[in-house]
Amino acid sequence: MANVVVIGAQWGDEGKGKITDLLSRSADVVVRYQGGVNAGHTIVVDEKVLKLHLIPSGILYPDTTCLIGSGTVVDPNVLLNEIAMLRENSIDISGLQLASTAHVTMPYHCLIDFAMEERRGNKKIGTTGRGIGPTYADKAQRSGIRVIDLLDEKKLKDSLHIPLLEKNEILEKIYGKQILNEEDIVEQYLNFGKLLKPHIVDCTRVINQASRNKKNILFEGAQGTLLDLDHGTYPFVTSSNPVSGGACIGAGVGPTLIDRVIGVAKAYTTRVGEGPFPTELEGNLNDQLCNRGGEFGTTTGRRRRCGWFDGVIGKYAVEVNGLDCLAITKLDVLDEMEEIKVCTSYELNGERIDYFPSSAESFSKCKPIFETLPGWKTTTADCRNLGDLPKEAKSYLRFLAELMEVPIAIVSLGASREQTIVVEDPIHGPKRALLSS
């Protein structure tokens, strides 16, 4: 294999869990490098549906080390529930490791997250309400609680006392909410620390030691490129950096350690929450994509907004992440379409542009310019090789590859592991080649 980063090339929910699961077969170490329980992915194994939020999908392979990295924010209660769920399904979690320097989502983070979103009214961002933004805010303000603090009662009390005084004042005086009891939090989180202690490690040391031992490392991002705090559709973004560069910071490695970057994109486009979405559909077409694609959030259960494939943000994702190849998921969702549209550029203020504008105001005014391709009107769910696909489906994939100037290495045609076509080796295949016939 090699050291590989897997990222979402749209607004998240692209099916990264399945692709990471596929690549994890050859990985010795899988690292989740950012985000928190606001992310989620669904894995289907032997007809079992497993929903994970923090634990990398590589946990399904018993010889794989799965590391929740320093760049993540961790809700211990959710993590322990995931561990319990995996154990109930007879999955070995001995390879699970948790960075001692990851920050912890505390009870007040979730309360403040909800309260802030309520206060925004019709200008809400669409946050999941899981406390992710407030946790990262405390991290940036140097007033956060880290995983290692849960192992030391004195350190936890010292780290918690002043922030909790401030948070209680905010909750009570600004938002009119119930204040929290310090002793209760200390007791609860020390217990979390005790339960998690067998999994807590020095993240950077583990990864770099694995690299020195020539182990194959897979870095798994949460959310997607357009939700990146610095490079996404701000302010309708997440609070961390899902782009490939975030892997180095969130895992604690240098960029020279990364050999390959693989982007995951749906054969159409979806997003959850608020914010501009140029190719968004309404009515029957939106319902058809949503229902056939099962477009409901793993974390929130919210219905996703659906639209045609947006090649402009696709090309942007290629550039921002330095993508070597793409995995296209949910191609089968388009099986019933008479025709399929792809956005190749935007119209902005009467002018045609082929780039993603950095201004949120400009992006909200962009109107998609489409190219229409014929549908294939037949099922692809049982296709296992590129040659099995209808010629129109192959033409559609080739069009996407040429538009984004990056090869398509993997095509997913359903939720199960078997419903996957490997077009070319995603790790060692040619870089920046086009999908061949």
Side-chain angles (χ1 to χ4, degrees):
M1 194 174 161
N3 297 328
V4 176
V5 181
V6 178
I7 61 93
Q10 295 162 316
W11 274 286
D13 308 308
E14 300 95 347
K16 295 182 295 298
K18 179 182 175 180
I19 303 304
T20 303
D21 174 62
L22 174 69
L23 299 175
S24 294
R25 299 175 187 179
S26 304
D28 299 302
V29 182
V30 181
V31 184
R32 164 77 179 276
Y33 61 83
Q34 50 74 225
V37 299
N38 55 337
H41 49 252
T42 303
I43 309 291
V44 180
V45 182
D46 298 329
E47 298 185 354
K48 287 184 178 179
V49 178
L50 305 176
K51 295 186 177 183
L52 300 172
H53 300 273
L54 284 167
I55 299 176
S57 53
I59 198 68
L60 304 178
Y61 298 94
D63 297 325
T64 302
T65 297
C66 287
L67 178 56
I68 301 170
S70 296
T72 61
V73 293
V74 178
D75 185 324
N77 191 43
V78 174
L79 178 55
L80 288 165
N81 285 336
E82 281 190 32
I83 290 172
M85 180 271 293
L86 291 170
R87 282 177 172 152
E88 287 170 5
N89 284 277
S90 302
I91 294 169
D92 179 14
I93 53 93
S94 60
L96 177 63
Q97 298 184 347
L98 171 62
S100 60
T101 48
H103 277 249
V104 178
T105 297
M106 304 298 287
Y108 46 79
H109 290 137
C110 298
L111 292 173
I112 289 174
D113 200 358
F114 271 117
M116 289 175 66
E117 188 75 341
E118 286 177 353
R119 183 66 63 91
R120 291 186 183 107
N122 61 7
K123 294 186 177 180
K124 61 184 180 179
I125 293 172
T127 173
T128 61
R130 301 302 176 94
I132 307 304
T135 309
Y136 275 115
D138 277 4
K139 175 181 179 177
Q141 293 178 155
R142 284 88 73 196
S143 60
I145 308 294
R146 302 198 297 177
V147 168
I148 197 169
D149 298 335
L150 307 186
L151 305 180
D152 185 322
E153 182 174 357
K154 183 178 185 305
K155 182 67 169 67
L156 179 57
K157 286 181 176 179
D158 289 346
S159 300
L160 177 64
H161 183 67
I162 292 177
L164 184 58
L165 287 176
E166 294 174 347
K167 296 301 188 294
N168 274 338
E169 194 166 359
I170 291 170
L171 286 168
E172 184 179 33
K173 295 183 178 180
I174 296 179
Y175 297 117
K177 305 292 184 182
Q178 185 86 21
I179 65 171
L180 299 169
N181 181 274
E182 183 174 332
E183 291 182 2
D184 291 344
I185 294 175
V186 169
E187 181 181 0
Q188 181 183 30
Y189 278 73
L190 284 175
N191 185 55
F192 288 152
K194 189 181 300 182
L195 294 170
L196 292 171
K197 185 176 181 179
H199 302 283
I200 298 173
V201 299
D202 181 332
C203 172
T204 301
R205 186 179 176 188
V206 168
I207 297 173
N208 284 284
Q209 185 62 54
S211 176
R212 285 192 292 271
N213 292 337
K214 307 301 181 184
K215 301 293 186 181
N216 298 319
I217 306 170
L218 182 64
F219 299 89
E220 175 187 18
Q223 290 99 19
T225 299
L226 275 296
L227 291 178
D228 188 272
L229 180 61
D230 293 300
H231 305 290
T233 51
Y234 190 90
F236 304 102
V237 293
T238 192
S239 303
S240 58
N241 295 107
V243 295
S244 60
C248 296
I249 298 169
V253 301
T256 53
L257 193 72
I258 308 300
D259 298 306
R260 197 85 168 181
V261 183
I262 300 174
V264 184
K266 281 178 185 165
Y268 49 101
T269 309
T270 64
R271 78 172 299 177
V272 173
E274 307 300 318
F277 184 1
T279 66
E280 184 172 12
L281 292 166
E282 297 179 351
N284 291 335
L285 282 175
N286 178 76
D287 293 341
Q288 186 175 350
L289 288 175
C290 185
N291 294 331
R292 280 187 57 83
E295 297 298 351
F296 299 90
T298 302
T299 298
T300 63
R302 286 184 296 183
R303 181 185 173 104
R304 295 179 185 133
R305 300 156 64 191
C306 298
W308 296 120
F309 190 92
D310 190 330
V312 179
I313 67 169
K315 288 187 288 185
Y316 177 71
V318 171
E319 294 174 349
V320 170
N321 295 290
L323 296 185
D324 293 301
C325 62
L326 274 169
I328 297 294
T329 63
K330 295 195 174 184
L331 183 69
D332 57 300
V333 176
L334 302 178
D335 284 352
E336 296 180 354
M337 297 290 182
E338 289 279 358
E339 60 181 28
I340 302 165
K341 294 185 178 182
V342 177
C343 174
T344 57
S345 57
Y346 299 143
E347 180 187 312
L348 176 61
N349 298 326
E351 294 185 8
R352 184 170 183 152
I353 63 171
D354 61 358
Y355 59 87
F356 170 67
S358 58
S359 163
E361 289 74 21
S362 294
F363 187 56
S364 67
K365 297 175 183 177
C366 286
K367 298 177 182 178
I369 297 174
F370 290 113
E371 186 153 337
T372 302
L373 288 81
W376 42 94
K377 293 291 291 180
T378 186
T379 182
T380 58
D382 296 325
C383 296
R384 297 295 178 266
N385 298 288
L386 191 61
D388 296 338
L389 290 172
K391 65 177 183 179
E392 295 87 356
K394 286 188 286 187
S395 295
Y396 180 68
L397 293 172
R398 191 175 298 110
F399 184 85
L400 299 185
E402 291 173 349
L403 178 63
M404 292 184 289
E405 299 180 350
V406 70
I408 293 173
I410 300 171
V411 181
S412 174
L413 302 156
S416 73
R417 286 173 170 174
E418 292 72 27
Q419 292 176 301
T420 309
I421 296 173
V422 179
V423 181
E424 63 181 36
D425 185 345
I427 307 302
H428 303 105
K431 295 191 175 189
R432 306 264 174 179
L434 299 180
L435 181 76
S436 58
S437 302

